[in-house]
Amino acid sequence: MSSETDQERCRNCDTELQGVFCHQCGQSSKVIRRPTREVLDDALGNVFHWDSRLIRTLRLLFFHPGRLSAEWVEGRRMRYVPPFRLYIIASFVLFLLVGLSTRQSTSDFEVLSASDGAIKSLQASIDKAKEAGDWLTGITLQAALQAIEDPGAYFRKIISNLPKAAFVFLPLFALLHRLANLRQKRFYIDYLVFSLNFHAFSYLLIAIVLLAGLVSSVVGEFLELFYVLIPVYGIVAFRNFSQQGWGKSILKGFLVFGAYATVLSFGIAFFLAAVLFL
């Protein structure tokens, strides 16, 4: 229940009240007290409502490619989990499983060590670069030397920075998709929503494969065949989102995914080099 008092000053900032809400801090003058049972009912109701939204969202995401993005763009939003929140959930699940599945790999790296000759040779190259004034080569080689001396730490840096690197490619994919559909009267934000949902699907599919691999390596290796579903899903999603024929959708899918894969390969190479300096 709620109760009001004849207070003249705000309980929070002690400002003189001029109405129900304090004009200084915004706090209400009402004192709201509710039984614990009512608070729990509201909390559980919100949780169950959110769960129903998540289930509805995942069903549309997995079994109706591109439709979730179209629903959001067309204004039917309250029944689904917002795209950015869905992406955060998917990326959290994926990179949690990536960390678990690679924990053994990092422990294996701890026993690896480069030969003294290789380290000395690399150190000599670093000294030569410094003498020649080639500071960029010197820094790069110095970072590479650190990776060789402690490969386990380098691998852990890769894992810890993967979510940040993956997030960078979201707007790039949306831009490529937008360029492939210049004639359509859509905003860039529409394609960004599509990108969020497409990457959420990809992450969740990869997470399923990784989880299966943690349970059984044989099952995990078999389910890796499902990775081919990602570009197929993307082409079907292109068609459903843009409402175009199969011919245009397949052609644009090849163009977008081809360009994206090319840029992604350079991006991964840059990331593997940049992580040495983090």
Side-chain angles (χ1 to χ4, degrees):
M1 64 179 178
S2 63
S3 62
E4 295 187 34
T5 63
D6 296 330
Q7 68 188 79
E8 296 180 355
R9 308 192 73 84
C10 175
R11 291 184 175 86
N12 183 56
C13 64
D14 201 37
T15 300
E16 184 176 354
L17 292 174
Q18 299 178 5
V20 178
F21 294 93
C22 174
H23 64 276
Q24 184 67 29
C25 68
Q27 177 169 292
S28 174
S29 62
K30 294 181 179 181
V31 180
I32 301 177
R33 297 185 178 89
R34 301 176 63 192
T36 304
R37 179 179 58 80
E38 291 186 9
V39 176
L40 290 177
D41 285 344
D42 283 351
L44 292 176
N46 289 334
V47 170
F48 291 140
H49 175 65
W50 191 86
D51 283 348
S52 66
R53 290 175 64 191
L54 181 60
I55 293 171
R56 191 182 301 115
T57 300
L58 292 178
R59 183 165 56 242
L60 205 60
L61 180 70
F62 275 92
F63 301 108
H64 300 276
R67 191 58 201 163
L68 182 62
S69 302
E71 288 279 290
W72 184 265
V73 171
E74 291 168 7
R76 294 183 285 272
R77 303 175 180 179
M78 289 303 296
R79 65 186 74 173
Y80 307 113
V81 177
F84 184 73
R85 189 179 304 172
L86 179 63
Y87 173 82
I88 293 298
I89 294 172
S91 61
F92 174 79
V93 172
L94 172 62
F95 294 115
L96 175 64
L97 290 172
V98 168
L100 291 175
S101 61
T102 56
R103 181 174 297 176
Q104 181 61 42
S105 299
T106 56
S107 63
D108 291 341
F109 278 135
E110 300 295 345
V111 301
L112 297 177
S113 61
S115 64
D116 293 338
I119 293 177
K120 290 180 179 179
S121 176
L122 187 56
Q123 186 62 58
S125 298
I126 294 173
D127 295 337
K128 288 182 180 179
K130 289 180 178 180
E131 291 176 1
D134 190 355
W135 59 271
L136 181 59
T137 301
I139 292 175
T140 304
L141 292 176
Q142 184 67 46
L145 178 61
Q146 294 176 10
I148 291 175
E149 291 177 337
D150 193 353
Y154 172 65
F155 194 69
R156 285 191 293 271
K157 281 185 178 182
I158 292 177
I159 300 302
S160 63
N161 287 282
L162 268 178
K164 301 174 187 175
F167 186 76
V168 172
F169 292 103
L170 285 171
L172 173 62
F173 183 85
L175 177 60
L176 293 172
H177 193 188
R178 175 71 182 90
L179 292 175
N181 293 277
L182 285 175
R183 292 184 177 182
Q184 289 201 342
K185 296 181 180 180
R186 289 185 183 274
F187 296 106
Y188 172 76
I189 189 66
D190 299 339
Y191 295 96
L192 186 58
V193 168
F194 182 94
S195 180
L196 287 165
N197 288 331
F198 171 73
H199 283 84
F201 165 80
S202 303
Y203 291 177
L204 290 175
L205 181 63
I206 297 172
I208 291 172
V209 175
L210 291 177
L211 181 60
L214 291 174
V215 176
S216 170
S217 59
V218 176
V219 175
E221 290 176 0
F222 173 76
L223 290 183
E224 287 179 0
L225 297 173
F226 284 10
Y227 289 152
V228 73
L229 292 177
I230 294 177
V232 174
Y233 177 96
I235 292 174
V236 177
F238 278 10
R239 179 180 182 274
N240 293 338
F241 180 72
S242 300
Q243 294 297 308
Q244 294 179 333
W246 281 110
K248 286 186 177 180
S249 299
I250 293 174
L251 176 61
K252 291 180 180 180
F254 274 110
L255 290 174
V256 172
F257 283 111
Y260 189 55
T262 301
V263 177
L264 200 60
S265 62
F266 284 105
I268 291 174
F270 176 78
F271 168 70
L272 293 177
V275 77
L276 293 167
F277 301 97
L278 299 176

